Amino acid sequence: MNPYLQLSGVNKTFGDFTALDRIDLDIEQGEFVTFLGPSGSGKTTTLMIIAGFEDATRGAITIGGHSLAGLAPQERNIGIVFQNYALFPHKTAAENVYFPLQMRGVKKAAGLAKAEEMLDLVGLKGFAHRYPKELSGGQQQRVALARALVFEPDLLLLDEPLGALDKNLREQMQIEIKRIQKRLGVTTIFVTHDQTEAMSMSDRIVVFSDGNIEQAGAPLDIYHRPSTRFVADFIGESNLLDAVVTDAEARVAECPALGSVVFGAEGQPPVVDGQEVALLIRPEHLKLSRDPKEGRMNAKMVIDTIVNYGDNALVIGHRGDTQIRVRVPGADVVILKEGEECHFSWTEDAAFVLDR
Amino acid sequence: MAVTLSTLTERRNLWPWLLLAPLAVYLALFFLVPLAEVAIMSVTEPRPGLANYEKVLTGSLYRKVFLNTFATAALVTVCCLLVGYPLAYLMNATTQRRAMMILLLITMSFWTSFLVRTYAWMVLLGNNGPVIWLLETIGFEDPPGILFTRFSSTLAMVHILAPYMIMNIYSVMQKIDRSLIRSAESMGAYGLSLFRHVYLPLTAPGIANGSVLVFVICLGFYVTPVLLGSPREQMAAGLIGHQIEEFLAFGLGSAMAIVLLVVTLIVLAIYSRRFGLDKLYG
């Protein structure tokens, strides 16, 4: 069976500049997929090509087996929530939500009733007659969401919709969007540069960099088994150490900073003897102690900086020229002092290798 | 502590007034005082009483002139809108370079004194001018005179006032967020319905600002209608000038001026109720 949404060989150039190199991506019906990447990585360009506001230089896009080629944005039946919500200031919340129905020839009474129903669903009961400027940022966001969903689109596109909200509201809206998306079962693409947002909301994350897809996979897959240095660095925090494989069979690498290290994590790429690799150990997989811990790999470092977050702390230290980052539970941080030497330890299955 | 703070803010609050003082004094001496004199004259010349106002408000000639003034101002406003809106749209849609060129052309005629522009129209539309010549060449026998008609004065006023309309609408169009248009398109809005439901309402503030500005300026327009218009279809300002210069009827002229002023203020008040005066200058 063909995937629901398929991008094959999508390429976009502006003069000499290649904005998208060759994007191949399949998305299943009902899936919540996040495009994650720094600004200028091509994620928004891809979204605009799917929406029909930009033309791909090459490549094809199909929804449910039908090509989107030559279809104007009006003909694609795609709901979009823009970064700044793009609500019509001269229309009330209900009129805004009614608009796509109005354009589809739905009569005013029936359309406004449907709009109010949709506003109820996004938690805006009783706000139907307010104008956008009379609504808070979060409420405007909900209206935009209702408006993008009311006409039962084949696809929902969200372009960094939470960027303008403060942290608490953001978390609340993450949960809300996820709830509504699940309830309606609409296939959704969510664009963001915020990795925690991507982690918490997605069925699948597609990591963009320089007009390419670096990696696509389930959030935890990407977190634990990044396929490139860029992904390891961009998603979560990481200690990335240069190393050379000395025994591919026994999975041992020689690392100038730590000495001989066994890399025992699951799902690692195949390596050969003598291969130059990057060794990844996540900061939360390291433990700090005064004395070496039995049953774990140990090394010493000097603590430079302690950054407290309350529930946890980030300890940044160095071993020789190599910076080491460790996440420790907030309760443990009281015994640590900047400038002191201590041991850090990890288990074999916390070490993961990837191509340098 | 609280006391010092409040005196500080009070002192700071005086600053704007101090800065405004020279202008305020100037306005008071050279505008408000003469205006008050006009108001006084309207009830004292030639005899104390309201006879002048009675004449202005009941005399059929004066009523006709005021109605004509309003009709002309409305016509000019509509014409400016019909000419200005598409031009502003073009400026907004085209490249930055072309928009600047159009803007330059518009402002260039704006910089020319409107007396000069009015005389230029006299030359163009006169009996020996190129327009009549053209009409004769393409086969009009004995073409009608165009100069000194309502047509010629309206044409010239539209030319002179259109930049106000264009600039107001253009500045509003420029501020329209592109994502509003895109979002309307994604929801299925095409050309005409997109324009009617989204674009036109979004540009409405520019239309309102431009229209009020043109209408109000037109109500008191003097030079152009006097020089180019039909003597039988005078506008209020022309008639006031007439009364004072030729009949030396200072009282009657003053009364008409006051009535014109009050009417203009009423227009502005209605507008400001609806749209806010601050937007007119913002």
Side-chain angles (χ1 to χ4, degrees), chain A residues 30-76:
Chain A
E31 214 179 356
F32 192 113
V33 174
T34 296
F35 288 1
L36 176 66
S39 52
S41 59
K43 55 192 197 303
T44 297
T45 306
T46 308
L47 201 73
M48 289 299 131
I49 289 175
I50 296 172
F53 295 122
E54 304 266 6
D55 287 322
T57 311
R58 276 194 300 281
I61 303 172
T62 59
I63 293 185
H66 300 287
S67 170
L68 292 184
L71 288 186
Q74 289 92 335
E75 301 165 319
R76 296 192 175 198

Side-chain angles (χ1 to χ4, degrees), chain A residues 48 53 73-75 78 80 82 84 86-91 99-100 102-104 147 151, chain B residues 177-191 193-194 197-199 201-202:
Chain A
M48 289 299 131
F53 295 122
Q74 289 92 335
E75 301 165 319
I78 293 175
I80 308 176
F82 287 86
N84 56 2
L87 296 179
F88 302 130
H90 58 284
K91 290 178 183 287
F99 185 77
Q102 190 179 10
M103 292 300 109
R104 283 163 175 75
R147 192 177 66 170
F151 58 99
Chain B
D177 187 347
R178 193 177 57 157
S179 65
L180 282 174
I181 307 302
R182 285 189 158 183
S183 117
E185 285 175 343
S186 77
M187 289 182 280
Y190 285 95
S193 58
L194 179 69
H197 292 287
V198 180
Y199 202 76
L202 287 176

Side-chain angles (χ1 to χ4, degrees), chain A residues 98-120:
Chain A
Y98 167 51
F99 185 77
L101 300 175
Q102 190 179 10
M103 292 300 109
R104 283 163 175 75
V106 178
K107 289 274 178 297
K108 190 152 191 171
L112 283 175
K114 181 94 191 281
E116 289 198 30
E117 217 174 274
M118 204 65 210
L119 285 170
D120 282 0

Side-chain angles (χ1 to χ4, degrees), chain A residues 327-356:
Chain A
R327 276 275 166 195
V328 300
D332 293 5
V333 81
V334 286
I335 57 160
L336 301 169
K337 283 201 185 64
E338 290 175 1
E340 268 187 353
E341 205 180 44
C342 67
H343 284 87
F344 62 99
S345 63
W346 67 97
T347 57
E348 285 176 1
D349 59 5
F352 184 89
V353 292
L354 41 117
D355 276 338
R356 212 185 265 184

